[in-house]
Amino acid sequence: MAAITEEQVETVRALVAAIPVGQVSTYGDLAGAAGLSSARIVGWIMRTDTADLPWHRVVPASGRPAPHLATRQLERLATEGVPIDDGRIRLRECRWEIP
């Protein structure tokens, strides 16, 4: 994986913190907005540094959360009013347009 700067980590953190209640963003959207070369870098940041952030609002482009997070993530999103069908987030209806 490419070297990641503290500035890039903070940019991703700020973007995640800004995702409004009831909306979601994808790893790829966040990577693009942060100027990162890969959505996997956002995934790495999310795994290591998001305890204080709304991590549940960051989802794969498929709209299906990772199996080990699915129950907890989908419950949190449903509570916020995010549209979900059969375990899949309806991204067209709730995808955050990053400013």
Side-chain angles (χ1 to χ4, degrees):
M1 183 167 45
I4 302 166
T5 68
E6 188 63 32
E7 182 179 339
Q8 290 169 319
V9 170
E10 289 308 313
T11 298
V12 170
R13 287 179 50 78
L15 287 166
V16 173
I19 302 169
V21 172
Q23 295 186 343
V24 298
S25 187
T26 68
Y27 292 95
D29 290 344
L30 294 170
L36 299 172
S37 61
S38 170
R40 290 178 184 262
I41 297 171
V42 173
W44 179 85
I45 292 169
M46 296 295 295
R47 279 191 305 278
T48 60
D49 191 28
T50 58
D52 60 335
L53 296 174
W55 61 269
H56 58 285
R57 296 181 191 146
V58 181
V59 300
S62 68
R64 289 205 182 272
H68 69 285
L69 295 174
T71 300
R72 192 167 50 147
Q73 189 169 19
L74 291 172
E75 285 174 356
R76 286 185 181 205
L77 292 172
T79 299
E80 293 184 0
V82 170
I84 300 166
D85 280 329
D86 194 30
R88 182 178 295 223
I89 297 146
R90 295 192 322 243
L91 290 173
R92 289 184 181 164
E93 298 172 40
C94 61
R95 194 176 200 158
W96 181 47
E97 293 290 328
I98 300 174

